[in-house]
Every structure is written in structure tokens, then in C-alpha cells.
Amino acid sequence: MEYQTFYTDLLCIGAGLAGERVAVEAAAKGFETILLSLVPPRRSHSCAAEGGMQASLGNCAMGEGDNPDIHFADTVKGSDWGCDQEVARIFADTAPIAVREAAFWGIPWNRVVAGKATYYKGGQEFEAVEPQDRHGLITARAFGGTAKWRTCYTADGTGHTLLYTLDNKVTQLGVTVHDRVEAISLIHDGANCLGCVARDLKTGKLRVYLAKATLIATGGYGRLYSETTNTVINEGGGHIVALDTGLVPFGNPEAVQFHPTGIVPTNILVTEGCRGDGGTLLDVDEKRFMDKYEPAKAELASRDVVSRWMMYHIAQGKGVPSPYGDHLWLDIRHLGEKHINTKLREVYDLCRHFLGVDPIHQLIPVRPAQHYSMGGVRTDKNGAAYGLKGLFSAGESCCWDMHGFNRLGGNSLAETIVGGRYIGQRVAEYLAGAEARFDTTLVRQAVAKDQERIKKLTRGGGKENVYEIRAAMQNEMMERVGIFRNGGDLQKAVHNLQAIYARAKQIGLRSNGIGANPELNLALKMPGMLRLAICVAYGALMRTESRGCHARDDYQARNDRDWLNRTLAYWPDMQADLPVFKYEPATQVMYLPPGDRGYGKVEIIPMDAPKEDRS
Amino acid sequence: MSRQLTFNIFRYNPQDPASVPHTDTFRLEETPSLTLFIALNRIREERDPSLQFDFACRMAICGSCGMVINGRPGLACKTLTKELPDQITLMPLPVFKLVGDLSVDTGTWFRTTNTKIESWIHTDREFDPTVIEERMENDLANAIFELERCIECGCCVAACGTANMRADFVGAFALNRIARFMLDPRDQRSEAQYFEVVGTDQGVFGCMGLLACEDVCPRELPLQDQLGILRRKMGFISLKNLFKPKARAAV
């Protein structure tokens, strides 16, 4: 079978905000750059980020006195000390520059309006006076886990405006964009990454991309779970091709964040503002339950705590049955028409358009959903992947690792352009001295391997149905590797996922697989998705502590003595059904020693605690 | 008693020599809050795994899922079946090249057009990372954001009489985009330079005034207003050019 070959200096796999920001940096320095994207770049998941990005400009009244030191400390505490502190430092220092640069490129950031202003917090109205001398500078709003108001925004469409502005830059610089192309394997010689084999999703034909440097910027792996707020394309494609080299580790796969209120059935996020303003959660009897589990904070406990109790309550048989599975209710009716139509306008529109529910008079069906992947392709602080020279990663797909075990709101969008800017500069430096040798035998073998996979799926006689396999994996992940984690369930999950993985090797297409066949798209990825899922479940099983979003019932303390480290999952043997794990210290440089976050659970086993006698 | 829905879906796979354009019919029982996103995925997973369609965000902000729903371009993800009769006919958007079934190539079309209209801030200045940002009135930021809300779903283009007849017409989306840059003080282009881009039959003077673009826009953008404003401005510039033939020739 013939295939087209493209040569370039930089190949970016993924063209959301992080991928485009890196591409802009390289292209501006004169390097030839090709962007690959599953969808037209402007349709990437980056556009779904509504709230904003954190940068310590300190312009607005409630951000008075903010600076990168405070942003750094918030980020480290948020990560529950799981992050790399050098990276968090680079991030906090670069964020204000990245925001201003984005303004220069055309972002219509909301601005400070001098004078008295009315704000809401926890349903309470209060006044602040915006200073005259900062009138017209970039303003910010409040987000959870931050000491200052630091989240810069453009109304409810911050990700959208950032993505469009970045893609405008890409267009201006003449960067080559190949949309609807999916990388299906990396080409490497055991030491150097040379590019990838890709599939054209318009025609189904294979292509080869050869590059001096390759970047993975493919977002998260939320679609390993049945309930996720992620877009349908966040299937971990970049993680799969990296892990499949056997050389590049998947860092902290078990670090997965959940959000309490996705709407049922589509898991679109309903803002925390609903609960902040006084909304309540109800069960099948239309009775509140959070006030019983958490008498002090009730519905306003942290994201993870609320999510956990919701799942627990459903498991007690108190969920509302529906054709889409059991759920609970969010009730904002008592807030009244005026409040809902003004302060919660977005929620009102969302319920109307996607549920056909009028939240002024009706209950909103909700359920916790996977939200963010802190884990990813493990890189150093320059975004250079472990294991292969010439391979980089940035954005949510990357574990460089600024989020540790919990990511703060507003830090993900910020990471895309801050990390993209910083890592982009490092990629450009690398390219300045790089030459690559492309071994045609190696390329031919890589393509042949993928052709063989396709042949086996279309004509191999496999009997397993790819959609059933996917559903089985997603349900397993949601049920046993979700918000509630304990040794027994995780052990069972690893076992069950291994069985599903064995079935995934016997997938056969039911359709003919010709052209841009969607069944073949998924089937090609399915065994890789299962390898990722096994890494997540096994990583969670091994980590016998609770840290940030990783909450174990059987190990409730954060254990800094034994677990102040990062999981590195390798998959060196394709015949195996378990990864090989290594661990490394969470951070080489410790600016801020582990302590109390000031919120959430406080049980901590300190670094210097004596070892327990386990005999 | 829930309704039985009948989906009549356009089918054609241009990559398959054996494929001919036709309509396939699928029946589904309606469930609460059923959207075309859920319905189409159910059909693919349970009935026909080869069915092609595009979704990404499934919350009406990425613009992937434009299609013709019972004769009207719209976003499938925000279309509830309960708002439709029990016969639902789905066709791919016209104007754009067909990938297969309900999937069309909007990416190439929009990238080509954005390149043509030079959809970026034109400035001769360099970014200086050592200074604070330039000030802007918040009202102006909001006004720019209002026009920036377009998600390039292609519904306005598919509904456009001119775009359906003329391949080189840039469409309402592009005129709205130019209006956005004209509002923005960071873009140093002069009115005459904008005229070069859209003051033509491929641009603002190609519109026949049917205004379906605004009717179908899922973002409810003020496309008619922007068209009117642009036409007035471009009209003035073309008149000025008419009376200054020497100056024009000198350009």
C-alpha cells in the first residue's frame, strides 16, 4: 500500500492551545512546522474552557497585592505537594507575560472599570472599589483554591477567544495545518523520535511524517471514563503512541480529577456557582443528603468530597433511575426566576438547550463526571520527554508536572499558553542545533506494522465488538477507578481491565472499514486505550495513600514519608498485560516544604515520620 | 408512552467505489432529553458502525456538528428531538466538500477563507514582555467579544443563497470577522485596506440580502447589522475612490 511522506522541522501532534502556542514559537523563529489535528484546530477541547486563566497581574481590587510567589504557593498547595516545584515556579513567573502577549495578539480580555462594583461570593453580595489608576488594565475573577482574584477572562468564552487568536497567529505565520489526521504510532530508532505514522481521517489513507522534533499536545484521557466533561476526542491518543514506544513513561496516570455536577445524559458541566449561590442536591425522594454527610459545609464542601458522597448515596440505592443510569437532582428553583435569569443565565440556557428542562420550575439531573487528567507524557521541566530525544509534550497531555495530584481552576487554560510559550522556546532552541537521519527501513517497518493492525481488524476474523469493549472499559473505570478508591475494588478493576484488554485484541469490524470509517478509527485505538486504563487502575492500586484527587478509603492519610513521589508507568513488553512501574521524587527542588493546604482533609504522615514495622 | 422516531439519513462514502448516494432509515425509541448527539451515537453503536458524522464538544461551542436538520442548518448537539416531529431527516451541510454521510470538510473551507481575509491583527509593533499591557475600555472589550463569539460551524454559509451559487463568496462569517477587526484599535489596517479585502462581489457586495445567515446562526450573532454597517462603510469608500481616480491610479 502506498503512503504519502511529509518532512518538517517540527511536527505538532495536536493543535489545541498548547500545540498551536508551541507551533507559533517555532514558526516565528523560522522553523518549518506542521500541525496535525483530529478536528479543525478551532474545534479542539481548549475552546470548552469558559472560566479563564490564572496570572498574578494584581490589577483588580480583589487581586490587590498579588504576585507570582502567591500564585506559586497556591499551585503547590493545590497539587497537594505532588507537583514539580521548579515547574510551578516557571509557570507562575511566566503567566503574566503570556496573558499580556495574548492581549497584544488580540484577546479582548475584560478590563478594570474604576469605581464601586458589586460582586457575589457564597451567595452574598458585597461591594469593592476598583482603583482609578488601574482603569482599563486586565481584570480578574475569583476561582477556588486561590488567595487572590487572579483568573483573567473574556466573559464566558476565554478558551474560545484564546484558541481563535492563536489559530489566527498560526494562519498569519503560514504554519501548515493538516486537520482530521490522527497519529497512530511514533517512528523511532530506540533513542531518537523521528516522527509518526498517521491516518488521514478524511480518506482513511496512511501517511508518514518525518520531523527533527515531535510534540505531543493531545489533551487529556477523560474518555477512558463513561462519564466525563471532556470532548469526545479526548481519548488519550498522544499518550497511547508515547507509551507504546516502551521507552517513554506515562507520569502519574492515577492523578485524575472529577467534578460533582455534570448534567445527565451528556455530562456537560454545570458551574459550581449554582451551589455557591444556594442550590441544593436532592435524591430520589427529593430530599437533601449532603447536610447529613457533611453537617458543616453540606453542598459547599470541596469538589472531591461532594463527588464522593454523591456516588456513595447513589450506591445506597438513593439515585434517581433513568435510561442513562442513576443520577441525583440539583435544585435551584428556590433561587427564583430573577436570580436564575441574571446570575445563572448560562445554566438556564444550558438546561433549556441540552435537557429541555426549565430550572426555574424543574430539577436538573446531575452526576459526578471525570474532568481533568493531571497525569501525562512524562517530560523534564523543558517539556522534553523521558526516553526519546526529539520528543516533547505540552499542555494537558504533558506531565512536566505543574498540577501534581490536583489542578486548580484557571490553571489548565493558563498552562496551555504559558507552558506552550516556555516549552516552545525550548523546542526552538533544540531545533537550532538539531539534525535528523531518517532510516527508510525503519519507516517502512513502522508503516507495515500499522498496515498489519488494520488488516487484522478488517479481515482478521475477530468477533469482538469495539463499542461493547469501550463501554465495558469505561464502566469499569467509572465504577472502580473513579472517585471512590480502595484496594479491593482497584485489584478487581485491574483484573477486569486485563480481561477486557484480552478481548480487545480480538476486535473485528462489523462494517467494511473503507475510507474515513469511524469504527476503524476507534478499533485502532482501543487496545491502546485499555493499556492506559490499566496504568491508571494499577497506579491507583499501588499508591497506598490519599493525595489531592487520589482518595483511598483504606489509606486516608497523605503519606509524605513514602509517597511524595511520581509514578512512571512504562509498557516495554507488548505481550504483557501490566505496565512496569518506577518512581521518582515529586520534586528535585523544594521551595515550599509539605504542609497543610488550609482546606480539605488534614491527616498527614510527615516526611520524617518513623517507618512502621510492617512485619 | 414514548414516541417512535424515524431517522432518514443521507448516506454516501466517496472513498468506496461501491457506494451510491441514498437514504437509510433507522427507528429509535425517544428517551428523555434525547438530543441528535445521543441519537446518532446510538445509531452508530447499535445499528450501523460505518455511519459518519462529526461531534467534539457536544455543548454547542466547537462548531463541529452542523448539519441540515429537517431542511434547516443547525447544530445537532443542541437539537432536542422533542422539538422535532417524529420524522427526522438529516443531510450534510451543502457548500462544503463531503467527507462521507453527514460529515463535511469545514476545516479547509474556513482556513482558506480566513487566509483570504487575513483574519489576524495587523500591526508593525513588536510585543515587549517587560511592560504592562495597553489599556482598553471594558465596553470595547465586550463589543469585540460579542463579534468574536462566532464558532465557524458553517450554518450561515450553508444557508446562504450566494455561497451556494458562487464558490468564491466569503460568506456572513467572514464579514462578521472583518467587522470584529475594524472595531479593534490594535489592528492598524485602514478602511481602504479592509475595502481591498471585502469591498468586492466576493465580499460585502455579493450578498443578495436573503439574510438566512442570521436566522440560522446558533450563536445568534447580529449578522444583518454587521452586513449593513460594512456595506455603508464600503459604499462610502468606493464613492471616494470613484471621485479620486488619480489617487486610485497612483496606489
Side-chain angles (χ1 to χ4, degrees):
Chain A
M1 206 200 302
E2 59 186 46
Y3 53 86
Q4 232 181 326
T5 305
F6 300 85
Y7 293 89
T8 183
D9 293 324
L10 173 62
L11 174 69
C12 294
I13 302 173
L17 274 171
E20 291 212 318
R21 185 62 192 81
V22 171
V24 163
E25 200 64 38
K29 297 212 164 73
F31 296 107
E32 200 184 317
T33 303
I34 297 179
L35 280 165
L36 302 189
S37 182
L38 294 176
V39 291
R42 295 180 185 211
R43 314 215 187 287
S44 304
H45 187 41
S46 304
C47 77
E50 298 182 341
M53 68 167 276
Q54 286 200 45
S56 56
L57 300 176
N59 288 330
C60 67
M62 297 299 292
E64 182 74 45
D66 200 10
N67 62 50
D69 293 342
I70 307 177
H71 188 186
F72 164 78
D74 283 345
T75 302
V76 175
K77 286 179 198 168
S79 79
D80 222 354
W81 277 269
C83 73
D84 182 314
Q85 296 196 13
E86 275 184 282
V87 168
R89 189 74 247 183
I90 291 167
F91 165 73
D93 287 344
T94 312
I97 298 169
V99 166
R100 290 179 178 132
E101 184 178 57
F104 185 79
W105 287 344
I107 297 291
W109 295 114
N110 278 95
R111 303 292 175 138
V112 175
V113 179
K116 267 189 194 166
T118 306
Y119 298 113
Y120 288 83
K121 204 166 189 181
Q124 295 294 309
E125 199 177 292
F126 70 95
E127 258 185 14
V129 179
E130 295 296 345
Q132 191 64 47
D133 64 336
R134 306 216 193 97
H135 181 81
L137 295 178
I138 296 167
T139 193
R141 56 167 55 134
F143 256 33
T146 66
K148 304 279 180 186
W149 286 24
R150 187 188 294 133
T151 307
C152 307
Y153 63 97
T154 58
D156 61 349
T158 316
H160 169 85
T161 55
L162 276 169
L163 187 59
Y164 274 57
T165 300
L166 248 301
D167 197 52
N168 283 340
K169 278 307 279 185
V170 162
T171 311
Q172 180 188 1
L173 291 165
V175 174
T176 304
V177 175
H178 290 175
D179 72 27
R180 301 172 79 126
V181 175
E182 176 159 36
I184 58 171
S185 66
L186 291 181
I187 303 172
H188 66 90
D189 60 11
N192 305 287
C193 182
L194 304 171
C196 76
V197 180
R199 189 162 162 268
D200 180 342
L201 300 181
K202 290 176 199 164
T203 63
K205 293 194 173 90
L206 292 189
R207 293 176 171 186
V208 165
Y209 289 88
L210 297 174
K212 291 180 188 168
T214 303
L215 175 88
I216 292 175
T218 51
Y221 44 90
R223 290 276 158 183
L224 297 182
Y225 288 86
S226 57
E227 318 300 333
T228 172
T229 64
N230 287 189
T231 73
V232 302
I233 55 174
N234 293 131
E235 295 176 311
H239 305 90
I240 294 172
V241 296
L243 187 69
D244 284 0
T245 62
L247 302 165
V248 181
F250 183 5
N252 277 347
E254 69 270 32
V256 177
Q257 190 181 64
F258 291 82
H259 197 287
T261 51
I263 62 169
V264 179
T266 44
N267 299 305
I268 301 169
L269 201 68
V270 188
T271 171
E272 275 175 24
C274 289
R275 282 172 293 129
D277 291 1
T280 54
L281 291 166
L282 306 181
D283 62 18
V284 66
D285 306 320
E286 300 195 9
K287 288 204 173 107
R288 279 182 78 189
F289 55 91
M290 279 308 299
D291 54 338
K292 295 180 185 66
Y293 296 126
E294 294 282 328
K297 291 205 143 184
E299 279 85 355
L300 294 178
S302 70
R303 276 184 189 183
D304 275 54
V305 172
V306 176
S307 301
R308 282 157 58 84
W309 286 126
M310 286 170 76
M311 295 310 286
Y312 178 79
H313 205 61
I314 288 174
Q316 301 308 302
K318 291 292 186 179
V320 184
S322 85
Y324 312 105
D326 291 355
H327 61 76
L328 295 157
W329 298 115
L330 174 63
D331 185 9
I332 58 171
R333 294 173 301 183
H334 51 287
L335 300 180
E337 186 169 355
K338 188 168 166 241
H339 187 93
I340 294 170
N341 264 331
T342 52
K343 301 294 169 205
L344 297 171
R345 174 83 212 185
E346 276 168 61
V347 177
Y348 178 74
D349 285 346
L350 189 149
C351 290
R352 235 168 16 114
H353 291 316
F354 299 95
L355 289 173
V357 162
D358 173 5
I360 297 168
H361 304 290
Q362 290 170 286
L363 299 170
I364 309 167
V366 293
R367 179 166 58 200
Q370 189 279 349
H371 186 50
Y372 190 80
S373 317
M374 277 80 68
V377 177
R378 177 62 186 147
T379 72
D380 65 13
K381 65 182 176 189
N382 295 323
Y386 284 21
L388 278 180
K389 210 169 156 234
L391 180 65
F392 295 82
S393 185
E396 188 175 348
S397 62
C398 164
C399 179
W400 59 326
D401 154 15
M402 63 165 276
H403 302 303
F405 279 81
N406 179 53
R407 188 269 297 173
L408 294 184
N411 260 359
S412 52
L413 198 56
E415 179 184 21
T416 61
I417 64 165
V418 175
R421 185 179 201 275
Y422 186 82
I423 293 168
Q425 289 169 348
R426 306 291 85 75
V427 170
E429 285 165 11
Y430 173 84
L431 282 171
E435 287 300 337
R437 300 168 75 89
F438 302 119
D439 180 340
T440 54
T441 313
L442 212 61
V443 174
R444 192 161 36 76
Q445 284 167 348
V447 176
K449 216 166 142 187
D450 284 322
Q451 284 170 336
E452 193 52 42
R453 285 206 289 154
I454 292 170
K455 202 171 123 193
K456 184 163 180 257
L457 287 167
T458 49
R459 277 171 283 165
K463 290 283 177 277
E464 293 286 353
N465 174 339
V466 68
Y467 295 107
E468 287 171 14
I469 299 278
R470 182 177 66 177
M473 172 194 73
Q474 290 176 331
N475 291 334
E476 191 63 37
M477 291 295 284
M478 201 67 208
E479 213 166 299
R480 277 180 270 270
V481 199
I483 302 152
F484 262 125
R485 294 177 177 183
N486 66 68
D489 276 352
L490 289 168
Q491 185 66 66
K492 200 166 171 190
V494 170
H495 179 78
N496 290 346
L497 287 167
Q498 285 173 321
I500 301 166
Y501 180 43
R503 284 172 59 199
K505 291 177 175 173
Q506 304 304 322
I507 290 171
L509 297 194
R510 288 172 299 150
S511 59
N512 62 18
I514 295 173
N517 182 286
E519 190 184 18
L520 179 56
N521 291 355
L522 183 61
L524 270 170
K525 258 180 306 230
M526 206 60 238
M529 285 175 78
L530 271 151
R531 285 190 286 274
L532 298 185
I534 292 170
C535 288
V536 176
Y538 193 50
L541 173 65
M542 291 291 117
R543 185 171 285 277
T544 48
E545 65 155 356
S546 292
R547 183 180 298 273
C549 296
H550 172 69
R552 288 275 301 251
D553 297 331
D554 43 354
Y555 294 93
Q556 296 196 358
R558 191 184 84 202
N559 185 343
D560 292 331
R561 181 191 61 206
D562 303 314
W563 289 103
L564 194 59
N565 61 16
R566 180 176 301 107
T567 309
L568 298 177
Y570 293 83
W571 206 291
D573 177 8
M574 277 299 169
Q575 302 310 312
D577 60 2
L578 260 193
V580 173
F581 277 3
K582 292 180 188 167
Y583 291 90
E584 64 176 9
T587 186
Q588 298 292 340
V589 180
M590 188 83 81
Y591 298 109
L592 190 67
D596 182 1
R597 302 163 93 188
Y599 52 87
K601 191 169 51 65
V602 287
E603 196 187 341
I604 296 167
I605 299 171
M607 288 171 78
D608 54 4
K611 288 265 178 199
E612 284 156 36
D613 186 1
R614 294 215 177 118
S615 59
Chain B
M1 184 66 194
S2 56
R3 291 192 300 170
Q4 284 294 320
L5 302 175
T6 303
F7 290 84
N8 304 300
I9 300 178
F10 173 84
R11 303 300 306 272
Y12 177 51
N13 181 358
Q15 302 297 323
D16 182 356
S19 174
V20 286
H22 65 284
T23 301
D24 274 348
T25 298
F26 303 94
R27 286 192 179 76
L28 270 193
E29 190 179 313
E30 190 169 41
T31 46
S33 299
L34 186 69
T35 62
L36 292 183
F37 165 69
I38 297 169
L40 284 168
N41 274 292
R42 271 179 61 190
I43 292 171
R44 181 193 279 173
E45 287 170 26
E46 295 164 15
R47 314 287 174 81
D48 187 342
S50 70
L51 181 63
Q52 295 185 51
F53 50 78
D54 296 319
F55 288 98
C57 77
R58 52 79 176 97
M59 54 193 282
I61 49 171
C62 80
S64 292
C65 64
M67 58 183 69
V68 181
I69 304 157
N70 281 352
R72 192 181 168 91
L75 295 181
C77 72
K78 71 182 273 195
T79 302
L80 289 156
T81 55
K82 76 172 184 185
E83 289 161 1
L84 299 171
D86 57 11
Q87 289 283 330
I88 298 169
T89 300
L90 303 176
M91 306 278 281
L93 289 182
V95 181
F96 305 100
K97 187 177 172 187
L98 184 76
V99 174
D101 302 337
L102 300 174
S103 173
V104 294
D105 180 4
T106 51
T108 305
W109 195 95
F110 279 102
R111 189 157 294 280
T112 306
T113 310
N114 275 317
T115 306
K116 200 190 307 182
I117 64 165
E118 301 188 8
S119 164
W120 57 82
I121 297 277
H122 288 54
T123 180
D124 52 17
R125 299 183 312 143
E126 294 269 325
F127 172 66
D128 180 353
T130 64
V131 300
I132 64 162
E133 66 273 20
E134 286 201 348
R135 288 168 202 264
M136 180 184 271
E137 285 300 316
N138 195 49
D139 286 345
L140 177 59
N142 280 328
I144 295 171
F145 177 73
E146 268 308 293
L147 301 185
E148 182 94 350
R149 287 171 54 246
C150 167
I151 55 172
E152 300 189 355
C153 62
C155 288
C156 65
V157 178
C160 172
T162 309
N164 271 282
M165 292 187 298
R166 299 178 47 162
D168 59 357
F169 182 58
V170 297
F173 119 86
L175 302 176
N176 175 72
R177 189 73 74 211
I178 286 296
R180 174 248 177 272
F181 285 108
M182 288 177 81
L183 262 188
D184 196 325
R186 292 167 292 199
D187 195 318
Q188 296 172 340
R189 275 181 280 186
S190 66
E191 288 201 338
Q193 282 171 300
Y194 288 122
F195 181 80
E196 288 295 319
V197 178
V198 289
T200 60
D201 282 353
Q202 288 82 48
V204 76
F205 299 117
C207 167
M208 299 187 290
L210 301 176
L211 303 173
C213 50
E214 181 160 330
D215 288 346
V216 301
C217 176
R219 301 290 277 177
E220 296 169 7
L221 288 167
L223 298 173
Q224 296 189 29
D225 290 353
Q226 297 316 313
L227 180 80
I229 293 165
L230 272 184
R231 270 206 167 165
R232 207 157 53 232
K233 282 190 178 162
M234 296 302 149
F236 274 124
I237 294 169
S238 72
L239 278 176
K240 272 196 270 180
N241 285 347
L242 202 64
F243 292 116
K244 281 191 273 178
K246 276 178 193 167
R248 195 180 172 207
V251 167

